[in-house]
Amino acid sequence: GIIDKYIGDAIMAYWGPPFNRDGEQTGLASLAALDMVARLESLRSSFPELLGMRSAPISFDLRIGVATGEAIVGSIGSEHMMNYTVVGDTANFAARLESANKNYGTRILVSEATALGAADVVEAREIDLVAMAGQGEPERIYELIGRKDQLTDAQRELRAHFAAGLAAYRARSWDEARRAFSQALAISPEDGPSLTFLGRIDALVAAPPPQDWDGSWRLDQK
């Protein structure tokens, strides 16, 4: 991948022609995201020494958003300053996905196009049908949970219970959805998406959605 720029404590990177063969960018970006998360604990332990603050408690985490689609790539700017970069709705969607991790208690959220394109190298679970800030139509978003065929039995069971809960939630079967999400939490008590949906169900029971509700959710915060 190509590091495009640093934005405060963020890194923007992209994959695609002419640096990668067309069709392999989704898998490469997804594997890079999983590798970043895998290295988090090592970075945490080394950070105090890197900063020369061995006695100071330092806590941090990371969030990653990956989107796949068309974008404008090239030298953009003025005659005084040009920057070879990526712009467009796909880049904006990736930024929204990164931020949406805060809502779901996840670390890696990807677009449906990314999840489908990388399905031969990574494992994912559908998280929600959501319209991000600035989007008109909702899109399915997914969480990357591991490399292909390398999930533990607990991870596979968690994914199955969550999928059952999501289906029941969209069918307005609130009690069934609660049971499935609770079963997921019995496997992983800190599973952010399951906790998120249990809280959301309580709100929807108190204020039921309209009859034409499609199960989607809107995130207005960028």
Side-chain angles (χ1 to χ4, degrees):
I2 304 298
I3 294 179
D4 181 292
K5 62 174 68 74
Y6 297 95
I7 312 167
D9 62 352
I11 299 170
M12 177 177 170
Y14 62 92
W15 286 255
F19 306 104
N20 309 115
R21 291 191 299 273
D22 194 23
E24 69 177 0
Q25 55 263 48
T26 52
L28 292 173
S30 298
L31 290 173
L34 290 172
D35 284 347
M36 289 172 70
V37 170
R39 297 177 187 216
L40 180 60
E41 289 304 324
S42 175
L43 180 61
R44 279 175 172 162
S45 63
S46 64
F47 220 61
E49 186 171 350
L50 287 172
L51 296 181
M53 302 169 62
R54 294 185 181 88
S55 61
I58 297 175
S59 177
F60 59 87
D61 213 316
L62 85 166
R63 300 187 301 267
I64 302 170
V66 185
T68 301
E70 293 184 352
I72 298 173
V73 185
S75 295
I76 298 173
S78 69
E79 59 182 272
H80 302 291
M81 179 177 291
M82 300 291 286
N83 182 26
Y84 192 87
T85 189
V86 178
V87 297
D89 290 342
T90 301
N92 292 336
F93 190 26
R96 300 288 185 268
L97 287 166
E98 181 273 324
S99 181
N101 282 288
K102 292 181 289 187
N103 298 87
Y104 296 97
T106 51
R107 284 179 172 151
I108 310 173
L109 288 177
V110 306
S111 67
E112 183 172 30
T114 303
L116 294 176
D120 59 336
V121 294
V122 298
E123 301 280 357
R125 63 168 167 167
E126 184 180 348
I127 293 296
D128 206 354
L129 178 64
V130 60
M132 303 287 187
Q135 280 187 311
E137 296 298 320
E139 296 193 40
R140 297 183 189 277
I141 62 174
Y142 293 73
E143 179 192 17
L144 296 189
I145 52 179
R147 289 175 175 260
K148 187 70 174 180
D149 298 327
Q150 292 186 20
L151 298 187
T152 65
D153 290 341
Q155 285 176 311
R156 284 191 288 268
E157 191 174 353
L158 170 65
R159 181 169 61 179
H161 285 310
F162 184 83
L166 191 59
Y169 165 87
R170 290 171 175 167
R172 303 174 187 240
S173 300
W174 309 127
D175 290 339
E176 183 181 346
R178 277 199 187 98
R179 283 194 297 273
F181 291 133
S182 296
Q183 288 172 324
L185 288 173
I187 299 169
S188 178
E190 296 182 358
D191 184 55
S194 296
L195 291 169
T196 297
F197 274 90
L198 284 174
R200 194 184 291 179
I201 287 171
D202 292 337
L204 290 171
V205 169
Q211 289 299 317
D212 60 350
W213 181 62
D214 60 0
S216 64
W217 196 255
R218 176 166 290 278
L219 294 179
D220 294 321
Q221 183 179 3
K222 293 184 179 180

